[in-house]
Amino acid sequence: MACPFQMGLQDATSPIMEELLHFHDHTLMIVFLISSLVLYIISTMLTTKLTHTSTMDAQEVETVWTILPAIILILIALPSLRILYMMDEINNPSLTVKTMGHQWYWSYEYTDYEDLNFDSYMIPTQELKPGELRLLEVDNRVVLPVEMTIRMLISSEDVLHSWAVPSLGLKTDAIPGRLNQTTLMAMRPGLYYGQCSEICGSNHSFMPIVLELVPLSYFEEWSASML
Amino acid sequence: MTSSALTKPQMRGLLAKRLRFHIVGAFAVSLGVAAFYKFAVAEQRKKAYADFYRNYDSMKDFEEMKKAGIFQSAK
């Protein structure tokens, strides 16, 4: 989950999110490079009385400030495309879970073996127990096995929603009439929080997602107990 | 009274000299900022993740969380 005054991205729980973190660092480094260059140049320009009164053309510097930005853009595009293709690699998921967005809750279906369905509503603030997180806790969490590749199929029963879990680098739109797929792989057990990420009405901010990643044996016990 | 002639001050090319000095300085400063960010933040982050996962025991981590009572599916 996010912490108060947090400036950066959440800690990565999946390999793809780790790659995204490093890519973000790389791109932010380039942003700081360009911003500090421009800031320095602006302050240099503004702190002199010397002028050049007959500037006509500047072919050399025009070439430099065309080629250099092109190189910088290539340096950003190459790692970006690498991660984009990495997200689409074939990975043979062991489990498929379907999630449907509703106004204003998520419902989950585990139908690989038996028929397990449940709804996941936010716990209202007045009903939170001490230590629980405001606007993030739900009554029925999405329990999943850790260190296994899981296929998530995401859609909606009414309006647009978006199923997002930042710590795993996931955000997939839930579109009525369309089935979107994403792949989930958590490297550590624990609780991972997300919130609906597409405006969907008055309670858009109040339909969170909580993933509970546990070892496979505990997942199997839980799914048997939920039937 | 004799005095040695003063050296003629530079009278032309002042802006060009200033620009040359500061453009080199600007690139040096911005590359320095980028290098600082890369080593102080980016490489540190990669090292932190590598160190965390080197001896990470997910079952031990899970048992500690289970004992803390945070899971719905594992009491």
Side-chain angles (χ1 to χ4, degrees):
Chain A
M1 48 157 280
C3 302
F5 302 108
Q6 178 171 327
M7 297 285 276
L9 298 164
Q10 291 184 25
D11 286 342
T13 306
S14 73
I16 292 283
M17 189 59 202
E18 264 192 63
E19 293 289 338
L20 287 169
L21 269 183
H22 301 320
F23 174 69
H24 179 266
D25 278 337
H26 168 77
T27 313
L28 192 58
M29 174 189 77
I30 293 175
V31 165
F32 284 144
L33 181 120
I34 296 169
S35 305
S36 55
L37 181 68
V38 170
L39 191 64
Y40 189 118
I41 290 175
I42 288 174
S43 58
T44 305
M45 297 291 154
L46 294 176
T47 50
T48 179
K49 292 195 172 69
L50 298 165
T51 55
H52 191 293
T53 54
S54 58
T55 307
M56 294 300 288
D57 64 19
Q59 304 293 61
E60 304 82 1
V61 70
E62 293 271 0
T63 315
V64 168
W65 67 39
T66 305
I67 302 288
L68 216 51
I71 293 173
I72 289 174
L73 286 173
I74 291 172
L75 286 179
I76 296 174
L78 290 176
S80 174
L81 289 170
R82 184 184 135 259
I83 298 178
L84 190 64
Y85 278 79
M86 202 185 282
M87 288 178 182
D88 272 346
E89 278 173 358
I90 303 198
N91 45 39
N92 297 320
S94 341
L95 177 69
T96 300
V97 179
K98 290 173 260 184
T99 172
M100 301 294 288
H102 307 256
Q103 283 177 312
W104 288 278
Y105 62 98
W106 294 95
S107 62
Y108 298 97
E109 300 165 35
Y110 297 62
T111 50
D112 278 347
Y113 301 102
E114 306 282 343
D115 225 336
L116 169 56
N117 295 302
F118 57 89
D119 297 337
S120 181
Y121 279 83
M122 183 187 85
I123 295 181
T125 305
Q126 308 89 295
E127 292 171 31
L128 286 171
K129 298 196 195 61
E132 287 188 335
L133 304 167
R134 188 180 74 93
L135 307 185
L136 285 174
E137 301 288 356
V138 295
D139 51 5
N140 299 316
R141 295 179 182 151
V142 189
V143 179
L144 294 168
V146 71
E147 286 169 358
M148 286 174 66
T149 309
I150 297 158
R151 176 189 288 116
M152 292 300 303
L153 294 171
I154 298 153
S155 186
S156 168
E157 295 274 20
D158 38 48
V159 299
L160 293 179
H161 300 270
S162 186
W163 198 80
V165 184
S167 169
L168 289 155
L170 301 174
K171 184 177 293 168
T172 307
D173 282 355
I175 299 167
R178 181 183 172 91
L179 201 57
N180 278 334
Q181 175 177 305
T182 191
T183 309
L184 194 161
M185 211 292 264
M187 298 187 294
R188 296 178 283 124
L191 299 176
Y192 302 102
Y193 293 86
Q195 293 175 289
C196 178
S197 298
E198 185 67 44
I199 187 82
C200 54
S202 56
N203 283 357
H204 155 68
S205 317
F206 309 116
M207 46 183 292
I209 296 136
V210 184
L211 302 185
E212 186 172 300
L213 275 296
V214 294
L216 183 59
S217 53
Y218 288 88
F219 167 73
E220 287 170 340
E221 273 174 40
W222 168 85
S223 53
S225 72
M226 290 286 284
L227 286 168
Chain B
M1 158 170 148
T2 49
S3 58
S4 51
L6 293 168
T7 47
K8 182 175 174 183
Q10 187 179 1
M11 296 168 80
R12 294 173 188 277
L14 293 162
L15 180 61
K17 180 173 161 212
R18 177 191 162 81
L19 275 181
R20 188 186 151 81
F21 176 80
H22 281 289
I23 285 294
V24 171
F27 274 94
V29 163
S30 59
L31 286 168
V33 163
F36 172 77
Y37 185 87
K38 185 174 169 71
F39 291 107
V41 178
E43 291 299 315
Q44 280 296 96
R45 200 193 300 282
K46 286 187 184 145
K47 183 171 175 299
Y49 274 83
D51 290 344
F52 177 82
Y53 281 108
R54 189 165 297 120
N55 296 317
Y56 178 66
D57 184 348
S58 63
M59 278 313 293
K60 178 161 165 268
D61 205 13
F62 170 73
E63 291 300 331
E64 281 169 12
M65 288 188 225
K66 181 171 153 220
K67 217 161 75 170
I70 64 166
F71 292 121
Q72 277 179 356
S73 61
K75 300 276 182 219

